[in-house]
Amino acid sequence: MKYKTVNKNIDHLKSLISVLPNKPGIYQYFDQSNTIIYIGKAKDLRKRVSSYFTKNHDHRKTALLVRNIVDIKHMVVESEQDALLLENNLIKKYQPRYNIRLKDDKSYPWICIKNEPFPRVFKTRNLVRDGSKYFGPYTSIYTVRTLLDLFKSEYKLRTCNYNLTPENIASGKYKVCLEYHIGNCKGPCEGHISAENYDQGIADISDILKGNISGVIKHLEGMMAEMSANLNFEEALAIKENYDSLKRYQSRSTVVSPVITDVDVYSIEEDENFAFINYLKIIKGAIIQTFTLEIKKGLDETSEELLLAGIVEIRQKIFSNAREILVPIKLENFIENVTFRVPQRGEKKELLDLSKRNAKYFRLEKDKQAVLKNPAIRTDRILNTIKKDLQLKGLPERIECFDNSNLQGTNPVAACVVFKDAKPAKKEYRHFNVKTVEGPNDFASMEEIVYRRYRRLLDEKKPLPQLIVVDGGKGQLSATMKSIDKLELRGKITVIGIAKRLEEIYFPGDSVPIYINKNSETLKVIQHLRDEAHRFGITFHRDKRSKAFITSELGNINGVGEKTTEKLLKDFKSVKQIKQQKIEALEGSIGKAKARIVFDYFQKQSDEKND
């Protein structure tokens, strides 16, 4: 569907567009209150901005944007990369109504190596661009604590915020604190450790956070061996705890080829309203970092635009300078000195597939959380999916399904099951005995049952379903439509038939079936309906045959009528139990005279069997 662009200020806006340069840059749209409502980037400003006003749009939201534009401002930049970065920063600053929303991730912790003499290493949620190094974000606070505990015990880093310049240390301005006396700090404030030795520990920590931890692990292994050899088992055990923590941190990485290093991997997963950009960081053959960014869509952004916006945002947050980026779709090289690759095979393709799975799992978890908070979300999604797949006029809030059952042509019955909001409403299930049809005639039986069902609903002024599902192909569907036409309900209720062999869906008057994707929620609901109707009908049919058999056997006893039969079955549940009763028990149920007749009948049967 196309949405027509209407703007009362079109002449003024066209005059602004006519003087825009054919250069890269960013453009800003303002509404009548002088508020920025959209920010975009362009390789060619004039060409891109004019495209909004020279065509109809596929999305209603885009047409609404254009309708509200009162003024246009722009900024020319040197390159497409500059335009991309500027657009990203301005969107975060102004958060225009029609732009994508980058979800704030302040809740995720980072590890900071502070830019100062004798650097501190600590957890933070605020990034300050003061030259400090930040590693993260980490989705697990446990991982952060494990790493910080390892650094504290192994490298004895300071935790104070003193300004430890050489001048201050030399002048004796500071004194060691309790941390030094209990062995948690090496006392740089009084010069007990040189800056060179302290910085060597910081270099090791930086390597660990970057993923280069094999050297540190070997160092700890050597220390454990030395402690054990000297019988210092307590110290060896303390080192082993750090060693195990580091090995766990390493093992959480997926190890790939060691020749793959300093590579970033990005993938995208989308639904109707959101995009999820997953990021993996590869250093020396191991994944040392992963993160997923959530983006709320604004207008009709393409997957390429959303992925590129996510890449720019994540690279800014994690300060990544990787020169190679693996992506699932082809992107233009907007970022200088960076190569985008779409791997087709090998280990890099496996890394990309892993990133895709992470993005997909993140989306599924978000969906599950949303359903837990509001179960109606799932119901609405399923009903809208059925509406779309079957091209219904409205949501199928009530669906009914019919199935016939007549084994070997005996005791023909039918079942009607009811689903409300795509879930079984078992209290509204109904059984039907076929009354007007002689012999096994499924088509005639279906016609009778459907007519009786909806004749009664109409007479009692009860709600009709939006969708009727018939278990069977074209023949069953035609029989159903005869009753629908008699009741003048054609066009008011959608009727479909489902053929069992290939799960074909038939519509009235159309000999060509449709095939719904096997993974579709629509097909799953229809199959559930069909299976419930079959189960419900078979159960009723078996009960009826069983009751008919029991009734006929007791009815063969001279002197035992229908009321006596019902009383016996009510008290003893089955013919088998009746046969096993003593005369006294039968007398307590139906009296002496009737009890003697029943007892003698089954006793005679038993004697004849033994002879």
Side-chain angles (χ1 to χ4, degrees):
M1 182 175 181
K2 294 288 185 179
Y3 294 91
K4 194 172 182 179
T5 300
V6 179
N7 190 296
K8 297 177 181 179
N9 306 293
I10 191 65
D11 294 335
H12 169 66
L13 296 175
K14 283 186 175 181
S15 68
L16 296 176
I17 296 169
S18 66
V19 296
L20 287 175
N22 298 104
K23 298 285 186 182
I26 62 101
Y27 54 92
Q28 299 171 316
Y29 293 152
F30 293 78
D31 64 10
Q32 59 184 3
S33 62
N34 202 34
T35 300
I36 299 175
I37 56 175
Y38 188 75
I39 298 172
K41 67 177 184 306
K43 295 182 190 178
D44 185 317
L45 280 169
R46 183 189 298 178
K47 185 176 179 181
R48 178 63 180 135
V49 175
S50 63
S51 68
Y52 283 88
F53 301 93
T54 56
K55 64 178 182 179
N56 293 334
H57 296 281
D58 295 326
H59 295 269
R60 181 174 175 270
K61 205 170 181 181
T62 308
L64 287 174
L65 163 67
V66 175
R67 189 177 303 169
N68 289 319
I69 298 172
V70 172
D71 195 12
I72 302 172
K73 293 182 181 179
H74 72 281
M75 182 182 296
V76 177
V77 294
E78 290 295 323
S79 66
E80 295 171 25
Q81 174 179 297
D82 292 338
L84 191 65
L85 295 174
L86 182 58
E87 177 199 37
N88 180 271
N89 292 332
L90 290 176
I91 288 173
K92 284 190 287 186
K93 180 178 179 180
Y94 294 107
Q95 297 187 356
R97 176 182 175 185
Y98 291 96
N99 277 103
I100 62 174
R101 291 283 192 276
L102 298 167
K103 186 178 179 183
D104 191 4
D105 62 349
K106 288 180 181 177
S107 59
Y108 293 122
W110 300 70
I111 292 178
C112 173
I113 299 178
K114 192 68 174 174
N115 180 27
E116 61 188 358
F118 299 96
R120 290 169 291 157
V121 179
F122 54 88
K123 173 179 70 71
T124 183
R125 298 180 189 272
N126 297 311
L127 280 65
V128 181
R129 294 185 178 274
D130 59 357
S132 299
K133 294 180 180 178
Y134 292 89
F135 299 88
Y138 293 92
T139 53
S140 169
I141 191 65
Y142 175 77
T143 299
V144 175
R145 288 170 180 164
T146 298
L147 290 170
L148 292 177
D149 288 345
L150 172 68
F151 301 153
K152 181 178 180 180
S153 61
E154 181 61 29
Y155 298 101
K156 315 296 183 186
L157 303 177
R158 73 178 178 113
T159 56
C160 62
N161 58 1
Y162 294 152
N163 182 16
L164 299 184
T165 62
E167 295 78 17
N168 288 341
I169 295 172
S171 66
K173 184 176 180 179
Y174 306 113
K175 297 296 181 182
V176 292
C177 62
L178 180 61
E179 287 291 294
Y180 172 78
H181 293 295
I182 63 176
N184 288 340
C185 177
K186 293 185 177 180
C189 57
E190 288 191 12
H192 294 303
I193 181 174
S194 67
E196 291 75 17
N197 288 338
Y198 190 97
D199 288 343
Q200 182 57 52
I202 294 296
D204 287 348
I205 290 170
S206 182
D207 276 348
I208 292 172
L209 294 174
K210 287 178 180 178
N212 304 330
I213 61 177
S214 56
V216 181
I217 288 176
K218 286 182 180 179
H219 173 66
L220 293 179
E221 287 174 345
M223 289 183 66
M224 282 191 296
E226 182 181 347
M227 293 291 182
S228 298
N230 295 329
L231 305 180
N232 294 329
F233 297 116
E234 289 186 8
E235 290 87 346
L237 182 61
I239 294 173
K240 186 178 185 302
E241 290 176 357
N242 292 331
Y243 173 82
D244 291 340
S245 296
L246 205 55
K247 290 292 286 184
R248 283 195 299 270
Y249 175 65
Q250 183 187 46
S251 67
R252 76 181 176 86
S253 305
T254 299
V255 178
V256 290
S257 172
V259 300
I260 301 178
T261 188
D262 198 17
V263 173
D264 287 351
V265 184
Y266 293 90
S267 63
I268 183 170
E269 175 77 13
E270 297 180 66
D271 59 25
E272 186 176 350
N273 299 311
F274 292 91
F276 305 94
I277 313 298
N278 179 258
Y279 161 75
L280 302 177
K281 180 69 177 175
I282 316 300
I283 293 289
K284 290 191 176 179
I287 299 169
I288 61 114
Q289 192 174 352
T290 181
F291 176 68
T292 301
L293 177 70
E294 180 181 334
I295 299 176
K296 190 176 190 311
K297 295 181 179 178
L299 299 176
D300 52 340
E301 297 90 0
T302 64
S303 297
E304 290 83 356
E305 289 173 329
L306 293 165
L307 179 58
L308 197 56
I311 290 173
V312 171
E313 173 69 7
I314 292 172
R315 280 176 69 87
Q316 284 186 324
K317 283 187 176 295
I318 63 175
F319 313 116
S320 174
N321 293 312
R323 299 296 179 88
E324 182 179 5
I325 296 179
L326 307 182
V327 289
I329 49 181
K330 187 176 180 180
L331 297 176
E332 293 187 47
N333 281 12
F334 282 109
I335 305 174
E336 293 177 1
N337 302 318
V338 170
T339 301
F340 289 100
R341 301 189 192 282
V342 183
Q344 301 298 320
R345 62 184 67 85
E347 290 178 323
K348 290 185 177 180
K349 177 64 166 57
E350 291 174 5
L351 281 171
L352 186 61
D353 291 341
L354 176 63
S355 180
K356 288 179 181 177
R357 288 198 297 275
N358 273 279
K360 182 178 180 180
Y361 293 149
F362 187 92
R363 178 182 65 81
L364 292 175
E365 286 301 315
K366 295 288 291 185
D367 289 345
K368 289 177 183 177
Q369 291 171 12
V371 169
L372 287 174
K373 292 178 182 177
N374 184 5
I377 291 176
R378 179 178 181 273
T379 300
D380 290 343
R381 185 188 71 241
I382 294 174
L383 294 182
N384 276 290
T385 300
I386 298 173
K387 177 185 175 183
K388 180 181 178 182
D389 288 345
L390 300 180
Q391 300 178 359
L392 306 179
K393 295 178 181 178
L395 292 178
E397 295 173 347
R398 184 184 181 93
I399 309 174
E400 298 189 356
C401 180
F402 292 87
D403 182 40
N404 288 332
S405 181
N406 59 71
L407 299 180
Q408 291 84 44
T410 64
N411 306 106
V413 297
C416 171
V417 299
V418 180
F419 275 31
K420 288 183 177 179
D421 293 334
K423 297 176 183 177
K426 293 190 177 183
K427 289 184 178 180
E428 298 196 37
Y429 286 14
R430 293 292 181 269
H431 287 131
F432 295 89
N433 290 307
V434 178
K435 297 178 178 179
T436 62
V437 180
E438 295 292 336
N441 188 330
D442 281 351
F443 298 158
S445 297
M446 184 65 72
E447 183 180 348
E448 176 195 327
I449 298 307
V450 171
Y451 182 85
R452 286 168 53 193
R453 169 66 173 169
Y454 296 114
R455 177 72 275 163
R456 181 166 185 170
L457 290 185
L458 289 170
D459 291 343
E460 296 178 355
K461 296 183 179 179
K462 291 184 177 179
L464 296 171
Q466 290 79 37
L467 175 64
I468 296 173
V469 178
V470 179
D471 183 15
K474 291 181 284 187
Q476 296 278 27
L477 185 61
S478 297
T480 300
M481 293 311 297
K482 288 180 181 178
S483 293
I484 294 295
D485 287 337
K486 289 178 187 176
L487 297 167
E488 298 181 350
L489 293 176
R490 185 182 283 263
K492 298 177 182 178
I493 305 175
T494 300
V495 185
I496 62 170
I498 177 171
K500 294 179 182 178
R501 190 169 66 89
L502 296 174
E503 305 294 35
E504 302 163 326
I505 305 295
Y506 285 92
F507 284 84
D510 191 346
S511 60
V512 180
I514 66 169
Y515 298 89
I516 300 175
N517 187 302
K518 290 183 178 180
N519 296 320
S520 168
E521 289 178 313
T522 299
L523 185 58
K524 290 177 182 177
V525 171
I526 292 174
Q527 288 172 330
H528 190 186
L529 276 156
R530 190 263 314 279
D531 294 344
E532 271 290 278
H534 186 67
R535 177 196 64 79
F536 192 58
I538 287 293
T539 301
F540 179 51
H541 190 266
R542 285 172 179 165
D543 289 346
K544 188 176 180 182
R545 283 191 302 144
S546 176
K547 187 176 180 181
F549 175 77
I550 292 169
T551 304
S552 63
E553 185 172 8
L554 293 174
N556 289 333
I557 305 173
N558 291 328
V560 175
E562 186 177 338
K563 288 185 178 180
T564 302
T565 299
E566 289 178 358
K567 187 68 170 63
L568 285 169
L569 290 173
K570 181 179 179 181
D571 291 343
F572 302 111
K573 309 304 180 187
S574 68
V575 172
K576 182 179 179 180
Q577 290 291 329
I578 295 171
K579 290 179 180 179
Q580 295 173 355
Q581 301 305 312
K582 294 182 178 180
I583 185 68
E584 293 81 7
L586 294 175
E587 289 175 353
S589 174
I590 55 176
K592 289 186 177 182
K594 298 288 185 183
R596 174 53 60 183
I597 294 173
V598 172
F599 184 82
D600 290 346
Y601 176 82
F602 287 123
Q603 190 65 45
K604 183 179 179 182
Q605 276 192 344
S606 177
D607 293 341
E608 290 175 354
K609 186 176 180 181
N610 292 330
D611 291 342

